[in-house]
Amino acid sequence: MEVVRTITELREHVRNWREKDESVGLVPTMGGLHAGHLSLVEHSRRHANRTITTLFVNPSQFAPHEDFATYPRKEQADHDILAAAGNDLLFAPNVSEIYPDGHSTRVDIQGLSQILEGEFRPNFFTGVATVVTKLLLQALPDVAVFGEKDYQQLCVIKTMARDLDIPVQIIGAKTIREEDGLAMSSRNQYLSVEERKIAPVLYQVMAQVAQNVRGGEQPASQRTWAEAELTKAGFGAVDYVAVRDAQTLDPVRDASRPARVLAAAYIGRTRLIDNVAV
Ligand code: AMP
C-alpha cells in the first residue's frame, strides 16, 4: 500500500487507475483506526476496484476548546491496519496541503448544520463539509463511504454532494459496536476504566427510547426519561436526546415514518455521540 501526501500524487494514482477503467472508492478518516473504520474500507472494496483511505485530522472542524491537539495520531499503526485490510492507497496530507495560506472558502449547509450537533458545535459541520468537498474533488471517486455512527454528518454530506452536483455516490455504513453495545470511536480511548463501564448505558438507553417510540410513546416524553437514566448511570451533561425524521432530521411526533434516536452526552470530559434506528 502506497502512502501519498500531496494532491498531485493522489491524482496521479487515480488517473492511472482510470486509464485501466478501474473504479475508485474513498474513505475519509481522522485516523486512530478501529473496526468501524475497517468496515468502511470493506464497503468501499465491495463497491469499487480501488480504495483510497484518507487520514487527516481536520483542524477546521474543532473548536478552540476541543481536542485537536490531543486527538489520537497513530499513523504507523493505521498504515499497517489499512495495508492488511487491502486498502490500495493512503492519502495523509499535511495541514498546509489542504489549507494553504490564503485558503478562504467554506462550505456551509443551511439548516441541517445548525441543529443537534450543530447547536453544540457551531462550526463543526462547516469544517467537515469543507474538507469532505475538497477530498471528493481531489480524488473524484465513484463512491465515498461514511459511517452511520455520525448519522447527522452522513445526512449533511449527502445533502452537500447533491446540492453541489458532486458526481459521487455517498454510501452509509452501519455502526460497529463493542460487545456491550458501545459504538466504536477513536475517542473511547479517553475513557477511564470506570467511565468505560458506564459508557454502554448510552446505547442501552437509546435502544429503549427507540423501542418505547415504536410502542407508541410520545418522542417528547422520552428525553426527560433518557436524561434521568443517563444521569443515574453516572453521565454528566446530556447535550441532547432527540427522536428525528431519519432523512430530514426534523422533529417527529410518532413512529409513522422512519425515525432515528440521536444523542450526545458527556462522561467526565469525554463527549460521546450515538444514534439508533426507531
Ligand atoms: P472519524 O475518523 O471518527 O472522523 O471517522 C471516519 C469515518 O468512520 C466516519 O465516516 C465515521 O462515521 C466512521 N465511523 C467512526 N466510528 C464508526 C463505527 N463505530 N462504525 C462505523 N463507522 C464509524
Side-chain angles (χ1 to χ4, degrees):
M1 183 185 74
E2 270 196 69
V3 182
V4 293
R5 301 198 186 274
T6 66
I7 299 160
T8 306
E9 292 167 294
L10 169 72
R11 288 192 164 137
E12 219 170 274
H13 278 81
V14 173
R15 199 170 42 245
N16 289 339
W17 293 334
R18 293 285 183 211
E19 276 170 9
K20 292 185 272 179
D21 262 346
E22 291 180 320
S23 57
V24 178
L26 186 78
V27 178
T29 82
M30 298 207 299
L33 301 185
H34 50 66
H37 296 112
L38 289 187
S39 80
L40 308 191
V41 173
E42 280 163 28
H43 270 276
S44 171
R45 294 185 74 216
R46 278 203 295 277
H47 284 85
N49 301 118
R50 298 288 185 172
T51 292
I52 305 165
T53 296
T54 72
L55 197 168
F56 181 63
V57 184
N58 175 33
S60 75
Q61 71 189 66
F62 288 80
H65 66 277
E66 291 180 345
D67 55 345
F68 176 68
T70 53
Y71 196 84
R73 287 171 175 83
K74 301 178 177 170
E75 184 175 323
Q76 189 56 52
D78 291 344
H79 171 280
D80 296 349
I81 290 171
L82 288 170
N87 182 68
D88 294 284
L89 185 69
L90 173 58
F91 178 45
N94 295 320
V95 171
S96 60
E97 181 71 7
I98 300 296
Y99 301 115
D101 283 348
H103 184 280
S104 51
T105 301
R106 296 281 176 272
V107 178
D108 195 12
I109 291 94
Q110 295 296 303
L112 207 49
S113 279
Q114 275 97 45
I115 58 171
L116 300 168
E117 278 298 283
E119 194 184 326
F120 293 90
R121 304 182 72 190
N123 299 315
F124 173 68
F125 286 121
T126 300
V128 169
T130 301
V131 80
V132 172
T133 299
K134 285 170 70 74
L135 294 170
L136 291 173
L137 295 177
Q138 287 159 6
L140 287 175
D142 300 277
V143 300
V145 191
F146 296 86
E148 285 185 353
K149 157 75 169 51
D150 301 284
Y151 192 83
Q152 187 178 2
Q153 172 174 286
L154 176 61
C155 297
V156 163
I157 288 165
K158 281 182 176 166
T159 303
M160 170 207 91
R162 185 200 66 199
D163 289 354
L164 296 180
D165 307 306
I166 301 178
V168 63
Q169 184 193 352
I170 304 295
I171 297 174
K174 285 210 177 324
T175 303
I176 304 297
R177 299 180 181 280
E178 304 285 358
E179 267 182 24
D180 58 12
L182 176 65
M184 288 190 184
S185 164
S186 312
R187 289 190 168 103
N188 290 350
Q189 302 175 30
Y190 299 157
L191 298 169
S192 69
V193 175
E194 271 314 300
E195 290 168 347
R196 175 63 188 80
K197 284 185 195 150
I198 297 168
V201 174
L202 181 62
Y203 173 65
Q204 289 155 16
V205 167
M206 295 174 75
Q208 187 64 51
V209 168
Q211 195 181 322
N212 293 348
V213 172
R214 267 197 302 273
E217 294 279 348
Q218 289 289 310
S221 70
Q222 293 297 299
R223 195 209 138 100
T224 323
W225 176 80
E227 202 171 311
E229 289 297 309
L230 291 171
T231 308
K232 207 161 66 187
F235 276 76
V238 179
D239 280 351
Y240 59 88
V241 177
V243 185
R244 296 292 172 98
D245 182 281
Q247 259 186 354
T248 61
L249 299 188
D250 288 337
V252 296
R253 292 216 195 128
D254 53 42
S256 57
R257 283 175 45 79
R260 206 91 195 171
V261 185
L262 303 106
Y266 283 86
I267 304 186
R269 298 178 63 185
T270 305
R271 186 172 182 275
L272 300 181
I273 66 168
D274 201 352
N275 67 90
V276 299
V278 172

